[in-house]
Amino acid sequence: MGWSLGYDPNWKRDVGYGVPAICDDPTCDAEIDRGLSYVCGGEPYGGEDGCGLHFCGNHLWHNKEGQQVCWRCRTGRKPYEPKPDTHEWLEWKLTDPSWAEWRKADPEEVRKIEAALEATPLPSPAQGGK
Ligand SMILES: [Zn+2]
Ligand SMILES: [Zn+2]
């Protein structure tokens, strides 16, 4: 698909299958990515039908049109609160050579990420099993 990395201007966060993430369902901590397999609406940024948040397979349903959507969109309610980026992803942006240009171009955003990493406690280690 060639959509490994993009930016969602609506939710103001990085999207694409190259971005590790946690299911946006508030009760869920499944590890997913922000690729099209997990997006509510089945299209970049959610398309016509979805909110564009990202959910694991347990939290996506099909609507009448056959699109994968989250429970909120399926029932016609306001979207969930988006979850913050994972530490894994933020640290990647701060350290990976492929982001060096970006860091140079946007030092303010880099400082914001550093502050966010300091302010939030490390998430508990990934749970094994179900
Ligand atoms: Zn949705
Ligand atoms: Zn989930």
Side-chain angles (χ1 to χ4, degrees), residues 36 39-44 46-47 50 67-69:
L36 291 177
V39 69
C40 171
E43 288 176 38
Q67 293 282 19
Q68 59 179 32
V69 290

Side-chain angles (χ1 to χ4, degrees), residues 22-25 27-30 32 54-60:
I22 303 294
C23 174
D24 277 312
D25 183 286
T27 65
C28 186
D29 56 11
I32 56 169
H54 292 79
F55 300 89
C56 73
N58 287 335
H59 291 107
L60 284 169

Side-chain angles (χ1 to χ4, degrees), residues 47-68:
E48 297 273 296
D49 298 312
C51 57
L53 295 178
H54 292 79
F55 300 89
C56 73
N58 287 335
H59 291 107
L60 284 169
W61 282 264
H62 286 278
N63 67 8
K64 301 195 286 303
E65 288 76 32
Q67 293 282 19
Q68 59 179 32

Side-chain angles (χ1 to χ4, degrees), residues 57-124:
N58 287 335
H59 291 107
L60 284 169
W61 282 264
H62 286 278
N63 67 8
K64 301 195 286 303
E65 288 76 32
Q67 293 282 19
Q68 59 179 32
V69 290
C70 71
W71 185 250
R72 288 284 183 88
C73 289
R74 181 147 189 253
T75 55
R77 290 187 291 156
K78 273 195 337 178
Y80 294 106
E81 282 292 306
K83 287 195 183 159
D85 289 323
T86 61
H87 276 232
E88 183 190 356
W89 176 244
L90 294 178
E91 272 161 18
W92 170 265
K93 285 177 80 168
L94 291 188
T95 54
D96 193 82
S98 66
W99 283 85
E101 285 296 308
W102 173 85
R103 289 193 292 270
K104 236 187 284 169
D106 205 345
E108 181 145 338
E109 192 62 26
V110 170
R111 267 196 301 276
K112 261 194 247 167
I113 291 180
E114 283 168 347
L117 282 171
E118 269 167 41
T120 44
L122 276 174
S124 50

